[in-house]
Amino acid sequence: MDTTLSNFGNVFAFLALGIVFVAGGYLTARMLRPSRPNPAKNSTYECGEEAVGSAWVKFNIRFYVVALIFIIFDVEVVFLYPWATVFKHLGVFALVEALLFAAILILGLAYAWVKGDLDWVRPTPNIPTMPEMPSGKSASERG
Amino acid sequence: MILTPMLHFSMPLLMGSTLNAWSEALAGFNPMGLPLGLVILAAIPLVFIALYSLTYGVYGERKISAFMQDRLGPMEVGKWGILQTIADILKLLQKEDIVPTSADKFLFVVGPGILFVGSFLAFAVLPFSSAFIGANLNVGLFYAIGIVALEVVGILAAGWGSNNKWSLYGAVRSVAQIVSYEIPAAIALLCGAMMAGTLDMQKITMLQSGSFGFAHFYLFHSPIAWLPFLIYFIASLAEVNRAPFDIPEAESELVAGYFTEYSGMKFAVIFLAEYGSMFMVSAIISIVFLGGWNSPLPSIGSFALNEWTSGPVWGVFWLIMKGFFFIFVQMWLRWTLPRLRVDQLMYLCWKVLTPFAFISFVLTAVWEIYVP
């Protein structure tokens, strides 16, 4: 009987050993370290100030857009990988097909570009200006 | 009963030049039905990560940083501070492990683990030498790109689980950065896969061997191969959150990013994962573009430098040296380039690297078809 594992079995061995290593590290540290918690020590770190509210809040929607664009591109790149291994044997026909495929991908990039989805919102500086003085220099001239 | 696997274990060791001989022998070493060999096979890269992170990773980075800033660096523990990292580890082991009351306990504990396992699993497909590879997958390169995504889950778990504003912003920035730069990185590696015509890491390396040494490397395979090489190098910096792409941990604005709340062993695990990833991307770029375990030295006439410096043991040396070289460049860049702003980061990724990655993809495809 063949007792050796397939190559993905080796990957599984890596996974198991990685988990054992992390768990072992945690356990060793648990045995060695002191544990004297107090409310101040266990509070959320906010530069010494008392934390205001929870951190589980809404954040910039831009991150979500980036994730969406990533999904589209990543899935399409994934399709190109099997092609990359055989395209030398398939010749010009497969090359043209892949280039068409890439063209659609680039079209998608151009669309996202034109729509402004690739731009990060820059803060627009809102500098308050003084009303014009009756005499002397204006606020902007004084800098 | 025990003797038979032992024989099976020692035979390929003698003819060490056979491809994957050591690792296959180890994988088949099952005394008394226990897959002990498999554990040893996985333990070798683990020990390597730990040793390299502690020596070159932490101590080396501190010394190199110090050298670049005209300082001395750690000098207290041992001669020239060489025992500094051991002292650090002992200290970290004894440190109290603080879990904030408001944190999500499960995510907080699991986050560093996922991060480390994700980084460690990629080591399974790195061919360390002509005879050693953890798992000789025929989709090795693809697997290596895919498994990096596990780190994103770990970072998000750590950042969200901490329930800390610094951590959340660090994590979200980090994830946005990693997933964005994964696109140019994947397309650049695709060019490497196209040149090789395979995704098997061991075969990609084999195809770059020859008596002219470095001249066979894929970096010199075609006149445009330097473009995906450069794109992957830049993108890999972003994927491992190194300067100039270190806004996820930007210490001057986000304290420490997604690991702000971590202390003790959990912090050490995150550290190991980070240095592990640094070596991982450096090894991948070495394997795909710089011949992996192949000797870069050319043979000149009867002066067979290439043959003298090839072999399973030399292979380990070359791969690690190439990896260390790229890590050195990463450390060097940290003290050379200022940190990018978040809009510059997105600009560079989507409007510079991705279009250029597509250009290199098209040019490589055309080159491979028309120029044999």
Side-chain angles (χ1 to χ4, degrees):
Chain A
M1 201 185 83
D2 186 19
T3 50
T4 55
L5 285 165
S6 70
N7 279 315
F8 275 104
N10 295 2
V11 173
F12 183 75
F14 273 76
L15 176 67
L17 199 74
I19 293 170
V20 166
F21 177 78
V22 173
Y26 280 11
L27 212 68
T28 318
R30 197 194 185 95
M31 287 188 287
L32 291 174
R33 66 166 195 240
S35 180
R36 283 184 287 275
N38 66 50
K41 197 190 277 176
N42 284 0
S43 64
T44 302
Y45 176 73
E46 215 157 276
C47 300
E49 299 289 323
E50 238 171 79
V52 180
S54 166
W56 295 333
V57 290
K58 296 171 188 166
F59 49 83
N60 200 337
I61 188 81
R62 280 283 142 194
F63 291 112
Y64 178 69
V65 177
V66 166
L68 274 183
I69 299 174
F70 158 74
I71 293 279
I72 298 164
F73 278 89
D74 209 37
V75 169
E76 298 201 46
V77 169
V78 161
F79 281 123
L80 284 172
Y81 267 88
W83 168 83
T85 60
V86 289
F87 84 109
K88 279 185 205 169
H89 312 295
L90 297 179
V92 181
F93 180 67
L95 174 70
V96 172
E97 275 192 330
L99 291 187
L100 272 176
F101 188 69
I104 298 169
L105 213 70
I106 294 164
L107 205 65
L109 182 70
Y111 176 79
W113 194 325
V114 171
K115 288 281 275 184
D117 287 332
L118 303 180
D119 300 315
W120 206 264
V121 182
R122 281 195 198 168
T124 43
N126 185 16
I127 304 160
T129 46
M130 296 267 287
E132 198 70 30
M133 293 283 176
S135 63
K137 290 175 183 173
S138 71
S140 58
E141 276 174 318
R142 269 185 278 132
Chain B
M1 286 298 265
I2 305 165
L3 251 165
T4 332
M6 281 297 274
L7 272 175
H8 174 64
F9 174 65
S10 58
M11 270 296 279
L13 266 179
L14 299 172
M15 39 179 197
S17 59
T18 322
L19 207 60
N20 303 337
W22 294 351
S23 45
E24 269 158 28
L26 273 174
F29 177 55
N30 299 320
M32 294 172 285
L34 295 168
L36 194 66
L38 217 55
V39 175
I40 298 171
L41 187 68
I44 293 170
L46 187 69
V47 170
F48 168 73
I49 295 182
L51 282 180
Y52 130 77
S53 307
L54 299 182
T55 54
Y56 190 65
V58 180
Y59 178 73
E61 170 144 37
R62 290 180 69 178
K63 275 293 186 192
I64 291 169
S65 306
F67 171 71
M68 289 187 184
Q69 297 181 323
D70 208 2
R71 297 184 280 119
L72 287 175
M75 290 295 277
E76 290 291 324
V77 192
K79 186 124 178 109
W80 304 304
I82 41 172
L83 300 174
Q84 182 65 46
T85 350
I86 296 167
D88 287 346
I89 281 293
L90 289 175
K91 190 85 175 160
L92 276 173
L93 271 172
Q94 296 169 43
K95 279 290 166 195
E96 185 170 354
D97 197 9
I98 300 164
V99 182
T101 326
S102 56
D104 184 323
K105 301 269 178 323
F106 177 71
L107 289 182
F108 189 81
V109 173
V110 159
I114 299 176
L115 204 60
F116 178 78
V117 170
S119 147
F120 175 56
L121 276 179
F123 276 75
V125 291
L126 298 184
F128 274 92
S129 84
S130 55
F132 187 87
I133 180 168
N136 189 27
L137 302 183
N138 54 1
V139 289
L141 185 62
F142 193 57
Y143 164 90
I145 298 165
I147 211 75
V148 178
L150 252 184
E151 285 183 44
V152 172
V153 180
I155 290 173
L156 211 52
W160 184 263
S162 297
N163 195 1
N164 178 313
K165 282 143 198 156
W166 310 124
S167 303
L168 178 72
Y169 264 85
V172 172
R173 278 180 178 190
S174 181
V175 169
Q177 176 180 310
I178 292 174
V179 299
S180 297
Y181 280 83
E182 196 148 322
I183 303 297
I187 301 173
L189 289 182
L190 180 69
C191 296
M194 280 156 64
M195 289 188 265
T198 175
L199 297 175
D200 187 326
M201 298 282 248
Q202 196 68 282
K203 276 188 195 148
I204 292 174
T205 318
M206 283 285 291
L207 285 167
Q208 298 176 68
S209 58
S211 55
F212 291 109
F214 68 90
H216 295 274
F217 294 173
Y218 280 148
L219 182 58
F220 309 106
H221 184 72
S222 70
I224 24 113
W226 60 272
L227 188 59
F229 170 77
L230 201 66
I231 290 170
Y232 184 71
F233 179 69
I234 297 171
S236 72
L237 285 178
E239 283 195 49
V240 294
N241 294 337
R242 292 293 298 188
F245 305 102
D246 60 345
I247 58 159
E249 353 179 332
E251 64 278 354
S252 50
E253 43 174 314
L254 281 185
V255 187
Y258 59 88
F259 50 85
T260 302
E261 289 286 1
Y262 283 94
S263 58
M265 196 58 202
K266 295 196 184 77
F267 180 76
V269 168
I270 292 177
F271 234 75
L272 278 183
E274 291 222 325
Y275 281 108
S277 299
M278 275 168 69
F279 184 81
M280 193 254 295
V281 293
S282 303
I284 287 176
I285 197 171
S286 312
I287 290 159
V288 175
F289 294 104
L290 286 177
W293 42 256
N294 285 307
S295 165
L297 303 173
S299 298
I300 306 152
S302 60
F303 197 59
L305 262 181
N306 190 271
E307 278 74 35
W308 297 340
T309 55
S310 294
V313 181
W314 273 103
V316 177
F317 170 78
W318 286 121
L319 183 78
I320 291 176
M321 279 306 126
K322 285 170 187 173
F324 278 13
F325 170 74
F326 282 106
I327 294 167
F328 171 72
V329 178
Q330 288 176 0
M331 292 171 178
W332 183 6
L333 285 176
R334 181 175 169 190
W335 302 109
T336 309
L337 299 174
R339 186 179 298 140
L340 290 180
R341 216 168 48 212
V342 69
D343 62 309
Q344 293 168 331
L345 189 87
M346 290 297 150
Y347 171 84
L348 179 67
C349 174
W350 291 107
K351 296 189 180 177
V352 179
L353 291 185
T354 308
F356 273 107
F358 273 119
I359 290 171
S360 66
F361 160 73
V362 171
L363 289 178
T364 310
V366 172
W367 177 273
E368 288 301 319
I369 290 285
Y370 288 103
V371 189

